[in-house]
Amino acid sequence: SSGINAEYGDVEKGVVPLCYMRRVQIVEGGTFSPLVLTTTGGVGPEMDRAMKRAAKLLEDRHGEMYNEALTTIRRRLRFCLLISTLRSLRGCRTKYSPSGLNEIDFNL
């Protein structure tokens, strides 16, 4: 755990390596903002600001109450993450099957 925190601690504090920032700006034409989520429900400072900004925009543009907009954003994010996790664990229930998947030996 301390190795992970040592490796990614600078990103959570807002200190992004300069070379990566330049690459994102030049190649991708954007900026880098890590939206950090924890498994216990906590969020990083960038994610917190992003959710609050989205809630403020919903309040201004659609007349929703700020606290209800923020609750809705958090709820939708939780369900999107849950659906993504379930699909990665169980697989999607569509008929699509990549060709050659049956021939792969997974050593099970």
Side-chain angles (χ1 to χ4, degrees), residues 86-100:
L86 289 175
R87 284 187 180 160
S88 68
L89 294 174
R90 289 182 41 196
C92 193
R93 293 182 178 241
T94 61
K95 301 232 183 230
Y96 172 74
S97 177
S99 62

Side-chain angles (χ1 to χ4, degrees), residues 4-34:
I4 292 172
N5 289 336
E7 185 176 346
Y8 295 106
D10 290 341
V11 173
E12 291 176 0
K13 293 176 187 172
V15 181
V16 179
L18 188 58
C19 60
Y20 185 72
M21 179 65 87
R22 285 189 189 134
R23 179 196 140 338
V24 170
Q25 288 175 343
I26 293 169
V27 175
E28 305 292 333
T31 59
F32 179 74
S33 294

Side-chain angles (χ1 to χ4, degrees), residues 20-68:
Y20 185 72
M21 179 65 87
R22 285 189 189 134
R23 179 196 140 338
V24 170
Q25 288 175 343
I26 293 169
V27 175
E28 305 292 333
T31 59
F32 179 74
S33 294
L35 301 179
V36 178
L37 299 159
T38 66
T39 56
T40 57
V43 296
E46 290 281 331
M47 184 65 176
D48 191 39
R49 274 182 266 168
M51 287 193 305
K52 287 180 180 180
R53 170 106 169 107
K56 182 71 174 155
L57 289 173
L58 284 172
E59 178 187 30
D60 292 342
R61 293 183 183 171
H62 299 288
E64 293 186 32
M65 293 180 60
Y66 176 79
N67 61 344
E68 290 178 4

